[in-house]
Amino acid sequence: MPGSSIEECNDANYARGYCTDVETIREQEYPLLSETAYLDHAGTTLYAKSLIESFSQDMVSNIYGNPHSMSLSSQLSTKRAENVRLRALKFFNADPNEFDLVFVANSTSAIKLVAESLRDFDSRGFWYGYHIDSHTSLVGVREIADMGYQCFRDADVDAWITELGTEQSKVPKLLAFPAQSNLHGRRLPVRWCKQIRSATNGGGNNVFSLLDAASLVSTAPLDLAEAAPDFVALSFYKIFGFPDLGALIVRKSAARAIEKRKYFGGGTVDMVIASGAQWHAKKEASIHERFEDGTLPFHSIIALDAAIDTHQRLYGSMANISTHTGFLAKYVYDRLTPLRHFNNAKVCFIYQSSYGDPTSQGPIIAFNLRNSQGEWVPKTEVEKQAAKQNIQLRSGSACNPGGTASLLGWTTSDLRRHYIAGLRCGDDNDVLEGRPTGILRISLGAMTNRKDVDSLICFIKDFYVEKAS
Ligand SMILES: *Cc1c(COP(=O)(O)O)cnc(C)c1O
């Protein structure tokens, strides 16, 4: 890594509330990170060594059977899974009387489960609204929204919520948005969920909210008592690095929206008549039992216990992580923004500007670079060069098509033209018509340190700031 050095960092927000200083945590828990600047925590954060050790200790010390039968090994799995479920709800301050948690593979599965179930709620299907900053996994829901859909910007959401108060229609409606953009880290107004509930007298008129919390929860607390969404999708690996597991959190009073799901499988039913009559009875005891198709990923669920333990021991709270990563993101922003070439031309174009305010901005930086002549530097070239310097970042549109197009100012017809010209997700058509087709993204995590971000800053200074010759 070019010119990086560990300087003492005395800022009060740096690793505030952590069990010890972040350099010690790094040495003990993430030894492999001493060799590289890992800046793709929005892809996944990394797991601590002691998490894997305590999980493997647990695995070799117990016999875990397939849950939900009478044997001791099965009972043990069931008990552990149910405890972890409650613990995970508590992690998001969700009262188990009000919310239930369905274990799923990842956020995308959680979103798909809501959408496919809501489709069976009413014979007309449902109407869907999604925010322009949505991940592709939210955008795709529109394909099964038979009553139509709309893509919203902030002001459209506000206007739509205002109209809800006077609307008589009972057409099922779902509004979905990310709590944080995975593209540029903007934190969206979670208050929308609460406003939808109050505009419809607590979920009457069949209007529901789906909060995609996948990006937010990796570096910030999520308080479901406060946020009050009907459905929440998230992936645990983005918080803890491991296990590969996700959750759909369901407000019990909104569960009717998804209860008419037609498919059943595995242990989700109390009785099935397999031949002769088409009859089955769904499980009645709890919401999660009706949605967890097939065998639970029980080893992963058990691993989540160790993940929460380890995380709390190392970092104390999500609020501490938000403070630490927010400080570092602003540190990067403040150092990249002023960079100039010899002719005073600007080097680094960052697409967000409110770094330092955790209510509106998370630790993700989307940017592009320009040379001294004002030409955009191809993003894949920067990514390749960064990889050679052992800096791991991401380039492209980060599965966020609406966000990318609006940052870069591409219209629908521009995008169609690009597709016809051969542009494909993940290719190296970096600059078309003199403008970038995607962005570079760095994203920070709980264990990111000054050295990581200094490596990036030095890299850009060394390779992309042109000095007078
Ligand atoms: C990562 C992410 C997803 C998708 O998560 P998966 O674990 O890949 O299903 C969806 N939305 C946002 C905002 C994300 O950051």
Side-chain angles (χ1 to χ4, degrees), residues 42-43 106-109 111 135 137 178 180-182 212-215 235 237-238:
N106 49 34
S107 307
T108 305
S109 316
I111 292 164
H135 191 275
S137 298
Q180 172 176 298
S181 159
N182 69 310
D212 174 1
S215 183
S235 299
Y237 71 90
K238 283 194 181 169

Side-chain angles (χ1 to χ4, degrees), residues 140-320:
V141 172
R142 71 179 183 204
E143 303 298 320
I144 58 171
D146 289 341
M147 296 294 288
Y149 67 87
Q150 200 179 330
C151 176
F152 284 145
R153 291 171 191 272
D154 289 15
D156 308 319
V157 179
D158 289 322
W160 181 78
I161 293 174
T162 309
E163 278 168 30
L164 278 181
T166 55
E167 206 173 280
Q168 299 301 317
S169 147
K170 292 263 184 196
V171 169
K173 296 189 182 77
L174 181 69
L175 182 87
F177 64 98
Q180 172 176 298
S181 159
N182 69 310
L183 177 71
H184 50 57
R186 180 184 164 226
R187 290 181 177 166
L188 283 81
V190 170
R191 63 174 162 77
W192 283 332
C193 299
K194 214 175 194 170
Q195 288 175 325
I196 290 172
R197 284 176 56 70
S198 40
T200 58
N201 300 317
N205 286 5
N206 301 330
V207 182
F208 305 96
S209 61
L210 166 59
L211 183 67
D212 174 1
S215 183
L216 179 78
V217 294
S218 87
T219 53
L222 173 63
D223 181 335
L224 291 182
E226 173 59 29
D230 294 317
F231 305 102
V232 183
L234 57 95
S235 299
F236 289 110
Y237 71 90
K238 283 194 181 169
I239 313 176
F240 308 113
F242 180 83
D244 301 345
L245 182 69
L248 168 65
I249 302 179
V250 178
R251 169 188 295 286
K252 290 184 176 176
S253 64
R256 62 193 170 82
I258 55 174
E259 299 274 16
K260 291 195 182 150
R261 181 175 79 126
K262 291 192 180 131
Y263 176 78
F264 65 82
T268 59
V269 277
D270 273 333
M271 186 180 275
V272 180
I273 298 178
S275 100
Q278 187 184 358
W279 183 89
H280 70 277
K282 294 232 183 83
K283 279 251 166 78
E284 283 181 354
S286 66
I287 295 166
H288 64 259
E289 279 183 323
R290 296 195 281 280
F291 289 94
E292 287 168 344
D293 301 328
T295 299
L296 281 174
F298 57 104
H299 300 110
S300 298
I301 295 170
I302 292 166
L304 186 57
D305 216 8
I308 298 176
D309 280 340
T310 308
H311 200 254
Q312 284 175 344
R313 178 168 52 75
L314 297 177
Y315 303 112
S317 70
M318 291 309 300
N320 294 337

Side-chain angles (χ1 to χ4, degrees), residues 378-396:
K379 62 181 171 14
T380 52
E381 193 183 299
V382 179
E383 191 179 14
K384 274 185 218 140
Q385 191 57 255
K388 278 191 200 152
Q389 305 304 314
N390 233 329
I391 296 173
Q392 315 199 37
L393 45 75
R394 187 170 284 221
S395 79

Side-chain angles (χ1 to χ4, degrees), residues 35-96:
E35 301 301 317
T36 184
Y38 181 84
L39 296 169
D40 191 19
H41 292 270
T44 182
T45 197
L46 304 172
Y47 46 81
K49 202 169 150 205
S50 62
L51 155 56
I52 302 304
E53 285 163 354
S54 69
F55 173 56
S56 65
Q57 190 55 43
D58 189 350
M59 287 296 106
V60 296
S61 317
N62 290 291
I63 301 177
Y64 291 112
N66 192 316
H68 300 299
S69 70
M70 296 309 287
S71 67
L72 281 180
S73 59
S74 172
Q75 292 282 305
L76 181 59
S77 297
T78 308
K79 195 173 102 211
R80 288 293 303 275
E82 293 320 302
N83 286 342
V84 176
R85 192 188 306 280
L86 290 174
R87 212 174 164 195
L89 281 167
K90 199 165 162 213
F91 192 83
F92 302 107
N93 195 29
D95 179 348

